[in-house]
Amino acid sequence: MAIEYALHKPEPLPFMSCYICPVCGEPLEASATRKSYQCPKRHSFDLAREGYLNLLPVQHKHSSEPGDSKAMMQARRAFLEAGFYQPLARAVAAMIAAGKPERVLDLGCGEGYYSRFIEAHCLDVAVHGLDIAKTAVAMAAKKQPGARFIVASSQRLPYADHYFDLLLRVFAPSNDEELKRVLKPDGLLLTVTPGPRHLWQLKEFIYSEVRAHAASGELPPGFECLTTERLHYKITPDGEQRIALLQMTPFAWRAPDPVRQAIKEAPELEIEADFVLTLAKKTAIA
């Protein structure tokens, strides 16, 4: 069943200097019209029609359009909006709400599924989202105008030092030093990693021997684990939804066309969803 969001309307976000220039590292300030940002060295970045900033310079790109394609993002949104990962989104929102952060960054936000859940279930939180795929960020910003989305690399976060109270990382790559830099001294990191049985039945189509993931998520140096929660349940997506799910995984490239067809045409397939949520605190020595 599709999910409906009852997004609250947050107070207008202050246009303070939360961003730094991805070219020179100087603070970015909003213009009087709030339609562009500029640093003291006059590097300027315009706000897109959808309301996001593109802070990924050409020299930081590894391809002309990095990240997932529009078709892949549309398939991902359809899968997520069908509710298959809603238990995970609720668990993420509950952990974040308990910490009462003021500013949250969704790293690798994609088309904004978890960002919307945070805004809907965590009052008085300023939600930020970052992804390297421009199409994904445009989709996220268009659907969630109360949040602040940017196109950028998680390896070079264009945010001011110690700006965020909490970082969310759902299956997303990141730079350990950058995580510590943008988090406040007592900031929190919420990481979601695959549980031991995650998507086991899909993997059986691809691998001759399926191996379980580790039961606990790894933390970057400089973080202390506060709590760990495992979330395990089963889903029954249809053929098209299974292919969309496959595209969301790092092992999709190992599935040739005959395997994809077998996954799509299999009789009703029950698939295990298995996640490990790890909440950690930045340590004093970080």
Side-chain angles (χ1 to χ4, degrees):
M1 183 174 65
I3 305 168
E4 294 184 4
Y5 293 94
L7 296 180
H8 73 278
K9 295 181 180 179
E11 292 296 316
L13 294 168
F15 278 73
M16 62 185 296
S17 183
C18 66
Y19 302 123
I20 59 174
C21 178
V23 178
C24 66
E26 294 286 337
L28 285 175
E29 299 288 352
S31 66
T33 62
R34 297 184 176 181
K35 292 184 178 180
S36 66
Y37 283 76
Q38 189 177 79
C39 75
K41 294 183 178 178
R42 299 190 179 279
H43 299 123
S44 185
F45 304 88
D46 294 332
L47 213 62
R49 179 180 58 186
E50 295 87 352
Y52 69 89
L53 271 179
N54 191 335
L55 298 181
L56 184 65
V58 173
Q59 60 267 34
H60 293 170
K61 292 183 178 182
H62 297 296
S63 64
S64 59
E65 288 296 334
D68 292 337
S69 67
K70 183 176 181 179
M72 291 169 68
M73 275 299 158
Q74 288 173 335
R76 177 173 297 193
R77 170 168 283 180
F79 176 85
L80 291 171
E81 293 287 357
F84 295 112
Y85 280 8
Q86 181 172 319
L88 172 60
R90 289 191 180 279
V92 164
M95 275 194 173
I96 292 175
K100 298 181 179 178
E102 293 181 1
R103 298 168 182 154
V104 172
L105 172 61
D106 183 0
L107 284 160
C109 65
E111 55 75 48
Y113 177 72
Y114 299 103
S115 296
R116 293 191 294 277
F117 237 89
I118 295 167
E119 187 174 282
H121 295 88
C122 304
L123 298 178
D124 302 318
V125 173
V127 179
H128 294 246
L130 172 151
D131 202 281
I132 201 169
K134 185 170 69 174
T135 296
V137 172
M139 290 172 67
K142 189 173 182 179
K143 196 160 187 174
Q144 193 178 359
R148 298 173 75 173
F149 291 98
I150 66 170
V151 180
S153 168
S154 60
Q155 301 302 308
R156 299 180 182 90
L157 299 176
Y159 295 103
D161 293 356
H162 314 307
Y163 184 77
F164 292 103
D165 301 285
L166 186 146
L167 304 179
L168 172 64
R169 188 177 63 175
V170 182
F171 297 161
S174 61
N175 180 294
D176 294 349
E177 293 304 313
E178 285 289 86
L179 296 181
K180 290 182 284 188
R181 182 183 66 79
V182 302
L183 264 181
K184 292 180 179 178
D186 58 348
L188 300 173
L189 172 65
L190 176 53
T191 298
V192 179
T193 53
R197 299 276 306 178
H198 189 52
L199 307 184
W200 192 272
Q201 291 72 23
L202 275 189
K203 292 180 180 179
E204 288 181 321
F205 282 90
I206 300 170
Y207 301 102
S208 57
E209 181 181 353
V210 182
R211 297 181 180 180
H213 289 282
S216 60
E218 294 184 2
L219 287 174
F223 287 89
E224 176 187 4
C225 180
L226 298 178
T227 184
T228 300
E229 175 183 331
R230 183 179 175 189
L231 182 63
H232 180 248
Y233 58 95
K234 296 179 180 179
I235 60 176
T236 53
D238 64 26
E240 292 291 344
Q241 291 165 337
R242 291 175 212 152
I243 298 301
L245 175 58
L246 177 66
Q247 287 297 122
M248 294 165 57
T249 71
F251 50 85
W253 66 275
R254 296 182 64 94
D257 289 342
V259 171
R260 291 171 182 263
Q261 197 65 24
I263 291 173
K264 183 177 179 180
E265 295 180 353
E268 184 172 307
L269 184 64
E270 195 172 57
I271 300 172
E272 291 172 82
D274 193 4
F275 308 100
V276 175
L277 291 78
T278 305
L279 183 65
K281 184 177 182 179
K282 182 180 173 182
T283 61
I285 61 172

